[in-house]
Amino acid sequence: MLKIQTLLTTANVALVIGLVSQLLFSSRIVLQWIQSERAKRVLVPTLFWQISLVSSFLMLVYGLLRHDPVILGAQLISYAIYVRNLQLLGEWGKLPAWFRAAAYGLPVALLSWFVAGNRHFSLRAMLGTEIPGGLLVLGTVGQAIFLLRFVYQWIYSERRGESSLPLSFWVINLVGSLLILAYAILRRDLVLFIGNIFGTVVYARNIVLLRRQLQQQPAPLRLARAAAEAANAARRRNNRGANHG
């Protein structure tokens, strides 16, 4: 009994949750990588976003147990963006009602419990965690850049009216991942290290694939696509103006 209690410490539970989360994160990247390699172009299946949502929730729990404000802040924003991408794909409404209710309710309940405080994690404990200022800045900048990829992707997708991942998305991914990797090493965070070392390789490969794909497109096709995107954006602005009017 004592041995089980020793194993089930907050640190060990956090490690297991974090590793499971990173395993899921890695599986979505492998899924996306395999499909992209087969098609010889960058593809992002719906399952990618579904796995991302579950993984993000687990990383949210991990960040709370680690009392790490960098991880917590990043996952809160990422979680909302994953939900929005599923909505843009038209897949959110197809998910079971209980799953959608849990996806909205569990993070709110968890954060409320965090603010109220308990022996495993609390806002007071997080505010009292001593992380060197320089390290905190490094992690915050890395996560900010990493999150910027989805903010950029979100805006890009909203303008196109569909979920899409452009070349710049993967470039931002690569830069952010390298910074977070440095943060993980200095923070001695095994979970973040494992999650980002593999992702860095995949992001670099996606950049190569997408650049090759863009270079193979005829110039007239690229111009036609750009014109179509501009026309769609103008049409949506006009529709919003008409609705406000």
Side-chain angles (χ1 to χ4, degrees), residues 109-147:
L110 190 63
L111 289 174
S112 299
W113 193 21
F114 169 67
V115 172
N118 58 81
R119 68 188 184 91
H120 300 293
F121 55 81
S122 68
L123 179 60
R124 179 178 298 179
M126 178 175 286
L127 294 175
T129 302
E130 295 183 0
I131 301 177
L135 185 57
L136 190 60
V137 169
L138 175 64
T140 301
V141 171
Q143 288 289 5
I145 293 175
F146 209 54
L147 282 172

Side-chain angles (χ1 to χ4, degrees), residues 205-220:
R205 177 57 180 163
N206 278 334
I207 290 172
V208 173
L209 277 175
L210 197 51
R211 283 178 60 87
R212 186 181 301 163
Q213 177 184 333
L214 292 173
Q215 289 171 355
Q216 289 175 349
Q217 287 183 355

